[in-house]
Amino acid sequence: MAAAITGFVAVAAALGAGHLMAGILLQPGASPFLAVGNAAIDRTPAPIKDFAISTFGTADKPALLIGMAVFLALASVVIGLVSRRSAVPGLAAIAVLGAIGALAVREQSPQSLALLAPVASLIAGLAAFWFLHRRGQPTTDLPTTGDAPADADERPRRPLRRRGFLVGSAGVAAGAAAATVGGAVLERRVDVAASRGAVGPLVPAVPAPPIPSTAAFPELGTPTFITPSKDFYRIDINLTVPQLRAEDAVLKITGLVDEPQEITFDEIRNMPLVEKTITMTCVSNEVGGPYVSTSNFLGVPLIGLLDRAGIQSGATQVVGRSFDGFTLGTPLDMLRDVGEEALLAIGMNREPLLPEHGFPMRTVVPGLYGYVSATKWLTELRLATYDFKPYWVERQWDGEPPGVVPIKISSRIDAPGSFQRIPRGEVTVAGTAWAQGRGIEKVEIRFDDGEWEPAELATEVNRNTWQMFRLTRPLESGTHKVTSRATDRTGFVQPQERLPLITPGPTPDGSTGWHAIDFFVE
Ligand SMILES: Nc1nc2c(c(=O)[nH]1)N[C@H]1C(S)=C(S)[C@@H](COP(=O)(O)O)O[C@H]1N2
Ligand SMILES: [Mo]
């Protein structure tokens, strides 16, 4: 028991010390535990990452952290148990864990100072293990043992020794907890909330047209037309939200340009802001899935900023780089096609971006999936060729033409819910369809594999947003199935064939297939 506690508490001390030092350094990413998690994410092959996203949804990161914590807890107990006789295996194992932490921090953190965190971790882990191991050893000579005859003195001293161990391990555990909390508190010194609060009201020079109340049927179960910012889907590779203050943010425009630029957040904030209503979609969204949301984005036209720098003729790809080093690439000609609609955004719904959605600035390109267009925590736009391989391209999700495809047409039934029981009488089916860039021409509904019937479309807002639909029919009691399919303004019909997201090769490039729901009429 003492051996297990020794291993467990020593590893906790190591993690706590690392977290505290990361807080002192103001580099959350230097915390060895988080760095190992981020390094693991970087190494996860795209299909597995995709599986994680579709299984755990946005909880994939807590799931990873909990998994790591459980693994470490078990490993630490084993480390303690195998060190009952000698401290050497435990010390060696802690040194190995420390080295893994240091390697991960070196990889994940651009600054060499960050290495102080895993070093602190290592020292704390070794010291705590050594200290507790000595106290937990019934056969080790403690200073109080003196040279009294073993047999006579063993009985009265045992409880004392055990108490010494328990007090020692409780003390170390409390220290580890305090260090962890301290690290978290210290990190708050980068006060992104205050920075965001200080941005002040964002008023567009060119507001988006108001959303008609007839554009959605939330009373029937469709989403509201504009997604409340806090409910906007979130997808990124980050375990912790990158903390970049507006006052520290500078956008560099580099690469194949005549005049490289450095534009501060304040300069952008003081440009005439335009507002665009755009529906964003993640390539990992399964048919019927939740990774699609709509916002009034506020910012300045992206292409105008790039043209200001003078794009050179060899450029084919616009690489967005994020504060944490993440990169993505947008084909320049696709960006040009979208024209003034693509934004360097600083706001959503008239407020500064939420930290999770890229505060202080990000890009948004209507019609393209997020992973090839929507860099959050943006720090640089580099005009490049396809020789540059962004994060996901390097990991097999093809970003080169024809790899970059426009967002695929899709429709989703939001009501009735899957397996919902509905009172006898009329059934109203309502849902959402999108084909950003092309617009929705019609949505058809079919009950129980019967004839397709056109649904009523809600008022269209613009071709870059989703469009709601509804249809009411009397249905007999029993189990029913309802299927939807949409057609875009070019006449392209949402295909029936379901392409799995997890396929070998340069896919996924977005899910296809019809959405169907089973429900029950009483
Ligand atoms: N810096 C950064 N930007 C990123 C990502 C990321 O992992 N890091 N993920 C992209 C993906 S895959 C999507 S779908 C969108 C999601 O943006 P949201 O979280 O604001 O909805 O952000 C994109 N921008
Ligand atoms: Mo995505």
Side-chain angles (χ1 to χ4, degrees):
M1 188 60 184
I5 293 176
T6 299
F8 185 80
V9 173
V11 169
L15 294 182
H19 209 64
L20 179 63
M21 186 56 92
I24 292 171
L25 297 170
L26 271 182
Q27 297 189 37
S31 165
F33 185 68
L34 292 179
V36 168
N38 278 318
I41 292 181
D42 278 1
R43 277 176 183 67
T44 311
I48 296 180
K49 213 173 303 199
D50 216 71
F51 166 78
I53 290 175
S54 51
T55 309
F56 302 110
T58 311
D60 57 338
K61 293 177 192 76
L64 172 70
L65 291 183
I66 291 169
M68 279 173 55
V70 169
F71 172 81
L72 264 184
L74 293 176
S76 66
V77 166
V78 172
I79 286 172
L81 291 177
V82 297
S83 309
R84 260 173 302 196
R85 298 233 169 133
S86 143
V88 173
L91 293 173
I94 288 176
V96 169
L97 288 179
I100 293 173
L103 285 174
V105 170
R106 207 182 65 162
E107 177 189 276
Q108 297 289 320
S109 270
Q111 301 192 34
S112 43
L113 210 61
L115 278 175
L116 285 179
V119 168
S121 228
L122 183 61
I123 293 173
L126 292 177
F129 191 85
W130 178 247
F131 172 77
L132 293 178
H133 192 268
R134 275 176 57 102
R135 304 217 152 204
Q137 285 295 306
T139 51
T140 307
D141 285 342
L142 286 174
T144 49
T145 310
D147 44 18
D151 270 9
D153 273 9
E154 202 58 50
R155 273 162 206 277
R157 203 169 287 121
R158 268 244 166 116
L160 254 185
R161 214 176 254 151
R162 189 177 306 143
R163 198 179 315 141
F165 172 76
L166 286 178
V167 169
S169 47
V172 175
T180 307
V181 172
V185 170
L186 283 170
E187 270 159 23
R188 299 248 166 80
R189 276 181 298 153
V190 175
D191 200 343
V192 164
S195 171
R196 189 170 171 270
V199 170
L202 294 176
V203 184
V206 187
I211 309 294
S213 62
T214 49
F217 314 114
E219 69 283 2
L220 299 180
T222 72
T224 53
F225 195 87
I226 297 291
T227 313
S229 302
K230 64 172 186 7
D231 299 335
F232 202 97
Y233 84 85
R234 175 188 168 196
I235 297 282
D236 52 62
I237 59 163
N238 302 76
L239 280 173
T240 52
V241 175
Q243 305 285 305
L244 176 56
R245 300 188 310 172
E247 48 274 47
D248 302 328
V250 178
L251 171 64
K252 295 194 181 120
I253 302 179
T254 61
L256 300 169
V257 289
D258 295 333
E259 286 175 49
Q261 312 269 315
E262 292 203 1
I263 316 174
T264 64
F265 175 84
D266 256 7
E267 286 169 328
I268 293 161
R269 195 207 174 302
N270 289 321
M271 294 176 184
L273 300 175
V274 296
E275 189 178 41
K276 304 277 180 191
T277 311
I278 297 170
T279 298
M280 279 184 56
T281 312
C282 181
V283 73
S284 300
N285 195 46
E286 304 273 3
V287 173
Y291 304 132
V292 52
S293 304
T294 301
S295 192
N296 277 319
F297 288 98
L298 198 66
V300 294
L302 193 53
I303 196 72
L305 280 184
L306 300 180
D307 279 336
R308 202 167 99 168
I311 303 175
Q312 293 176 357
S313 58
T316 48
Q317 179 178 219
V318 183
V319 176
R321 182 180 297 275
S322 164
F323 182 52
D324 64 334
F326 174 88
T327 50
L328 61 76
T330 312
L332 178 59
D333 51 359
M334 289 180 126
L335 192 62
R336 280 212 183 283
D337 287 347
V338 180
E340 303 269 296
E341 302 300 309
L343 295 182
L344 168 71
I346 61 168
M348 284 165 84
N349 304 329
R350 305 262 169 118
E351 288 193 336
L353 298 176
L354 284 171
E356 298 86 320
H357 295 293
F359 180 83
M361 37 187 166
R362 73 170 311 166
T363 51
V364 185
V365 182
L368 293 183
Y369 289 115
Y371 84 114
V372 288
S373 67
T375 318
K376 303 193 273 187
W377 314 288
L378 181 74
T379 57
E380 182 185 349
L381 289 167
R382 172 172 285 270
L383 277 294
T385 65
Y386 289 106
D387 290 344
F388 182 86
K389 305 284 179 217
Y391 185 92
W392 285 114
V393 176
E394 216 174 47
R395 288 161 183 77
Q396 307 265 294
W397 285 14
D398 201 341
E400 286 181 47
V404 174
V405 294
I407 295 175
K408 290 182 173 166
I409 188 170
S410 201
S411 60
R412 180 184 81 191
I413 297 165
D414 294 310
S418 202
F419 300 114
Q420 195 182 331
R421 292 183 81 87
I422 297 182
R424 180 200 292 269
E426 304 223 294
V427 173
T428 296
V429 177
T432 319
W434 58 89
Q436 290 95 318
R438 288 93 73 201
I440 294 293
E441 175 70 29
K442 70 175 170 190
V443 176
E444 294 161 294
I445 299 288
R446 150 182 115 166
F447 291 99
D448 306 319
D449 298 332
E451 293 291 305
W452 288 106
E453 306 175 58
E456 178 200 340
L457 289 185
T459 309
E460 185 188 61
V461 170
N462 71 53
R463 291 188 179 196
N464 292 325
T465 62
W466 55 18
Q467 184 151 15
M468 313 302 177
F469 60 85
R470 68 175 171 189
L471 180 81
T472 303
R473 282 285 170 275
L475 281 183
E476 286 174 5
S477 295
T479 304
H480 293 280
K481 172 179 160 190
V482 58
T483 311
S484 71
R485 72 171 186 198
T487 303
D488 72 18
R489 289 268 162 90
T490 72
F492 183 83
V493 184
Q494 180 178 352
Q496 177 172 20
E497 191 197 355
R498 283 241 178 179
L499 290 183
L501 276 180
I502 301 174
T503 47
T507 48
D509 52 14
S511 56
T512 69
W514 295 340
H515 191 213
I517 288 286
D518 290 309
F519 62 99
F520 188 80
V521 176
E522 283 170 352

